[in-house]
Amino acid sequence: MENFNQNNIKYLEAAKRVKRLKGFYIHAVVYVLVNLFIVIQNVKSGASLSNMDNYWTAIFWGVGLLGHGMSIFLPNMIMGKDWEERKIRELMDKNK
């Protein structure tokens, strides 16, 4: 029975990760499509492609997309699960 519970927990964790990956991929596709549309509209209107004002949306949204990607692909980089476990043990030992 315990093995079933562990498998169930692993399945739920994997399903959650897949959902987060799907969200990131959708975010990335929307980012590309919207910014491609903006560039095409700027070219059609005769705006210069060297004008920085045409790229602020892509730049700031790109920073957000980068943060989203880091939260998916590098979740344990700063304060991951190992850090949480170490901190819990440290606080438990301190309160003995």
Side-chain angles (χ1 to χ4, degrees):
M1 187 70 167
E2 185 176 321
N3 193 22
F4 173 75
N5 287 337
Q6 285 181 339
N7 288 338
N8 195 22
I9 290 170
K10 287 181 182 181
Y11 174 82
L12 292 174
E13 287 175 354
K16 182 179 176 182
R17 178 147 171 84
V18 166
K19 187 174 181 177
R20 292 182 72 208
L21 279 168
K22 182 180 175 185
F24 173 75
Y25 293 143
I26 290 170
H27 187 181
V29 167
V30 171
Y31 170 82
V32 169
L33 293 176
V34 168
N35 284 294
L36 190 60
F37 176 78
I38 291 171
V39 169
I40 289 169
Q41 291 302 315
N42 286 333
V43 168
K44 281 184 176 180
S45 70
S48 171
L49 290 178
S50 63
N51 184 355
M52 260 320 274
D53 290 339
N54 296 327
Y55 301 105
W56 288 117
T57 300
I59 291 168
F60 288 116
W61 191 356
V63 169
L65 183 62
L66 177 66
H68 188 176
M70 289 176 64
S71 75
I72 301 296
F73 298 106
L74 303 173
N76 296 327
M77 192 169 108
I78 298 174
M79 290 187 190
K81 192 171 188 172
D82 293 339
W83 177 85
E84 290 177 10
E85 290 174 10
R86 283 193 317 269
K87 197 66 175 172
I88 288 169
R89 276 191 233 113
E90 176 187 323
L91 291 172
M92 287 175 65
D93 290 343
K94 186 177 179 180
N95 290 330
K96 283 186 178 181

